[in-house]
Structures are given as structure tokens and as C-alpha cells.
Amino acid sequence: MVTREQVLNSLKHIADPEFHKSVTELKLVRDIMIKEDKVSLSLILSVDDEITRAQLKQEMEEALQSIGVNDTHIRFRAMSEMERKQVKGEQ
């Protein structure tokens, strides 16, 4: 069974399209749940459109498959204004 740390480590090379930093570094990966070889998680999107969702979903599924996760469920949510300010360091 994979660990939370392995999941986050496998996703660290995936960059947010607006901030051009790792989604894990920006703490945009949330609600990680692991059960055997199944992983469920949420991703906060700074850019919320279908093309971005599809691209990030594919990248994340490939990254998770590389560590042995065969079943993924990824929920997407648009970034709130408060979250955007936190990511920008404005708080």
C-alpha cells in the first residue's frame, strides 16, 4: 500500500498552470485518502477550465500509476479568492 508521502512525492513535478510551481509545493492537493491500491484526492485549480482539468487529470493519473496506484478518483475545485491570496503570499 502506498503512503501519503509517496502520493505527494509522485505529484511534486506537476505544475500549477497559473503560478508555475508544484501543486504540492503550493498545497493544492488536499483530502488524500488511500485504501489498498486506490487513491482519492482533491486538487484546487487556479485555472478552472475543461482543458486544464483533463491535462492535470492525465498527468496525475500517470504519476500515481508509476507508484502502483491503479485506481484514482480526483475531485477538482476552483480556487477561492482567499486561497488565491494565500498562494500569492498576500494573506
Side-chain angles (χ1 to χ4, degrees), residues 56-71:
L56 288 170
K57 185 177 189 332
Q58 180 178 353
E59 289 179 32
M60 294 177 82
E61 286 176 344
E62 289 173 359
L64 292 168
Q65 285 172 356
S66 75
I67 61 167
V69 176
N70 297 314
D71 189 2

Side-chain angles (χ1 to χ4, degrees), residues 41-66:
L41 57 85
S42 298
L43 180 67
I44 310 304
L45 297 172
S46 62
V47 177
D48 190 11
D49 62 56
E50 287 303 314
I51 294 170
T52 302
R53 281 180 187 230
Q55 179 182 354
L56 288 170
K57 185 177 189 332
Q58 180 178 353
E59 289 179 32
M60 294 177 82
E61 286 176 344
E62 289 173 359
L64 292 168
Q65 285 172 356
S66 75

Side-chain angles (χ1 to χ4, degrees), residues 10 16 64 86:
S10 74
D16 174 82
L64 292 168
Q86 287 175 337

Side-chain angles (χ1 to χ4, degrees), residues 12-60:
K12 71 180 181 183
H13 72 279
I14 298 172
D16 174 82
E18 180 180 344
F19 297 104
H20 308 290
K21 289 186 178 180
S22 166
V23 293
T24 58
E25 180 184 342
L26 295 171
K27 296 184 171 63
L28 302 180
V29 178
R30 313 252 176 100
D31 310 320
I32 299 171
M33 294 175 54
I34 302 165
K35 185 174 182 181
E36 297 168 9
D37 67 341
K38 300 174 186 173
V39 172
S40 173
L41 57 85
S42 298
L43 180 67
I44 310 304
L45 297 172
S46 62
V47 177
D48 190 11
D49 62 56
E50 287 303 314
I51 294 170
T52 302
R53 281 180 187 230
Q55 179 182 354
L56 288 170
K57 185 177 189 332
Q58 180 178 353
E59 289 179 32
M60 294 177 82

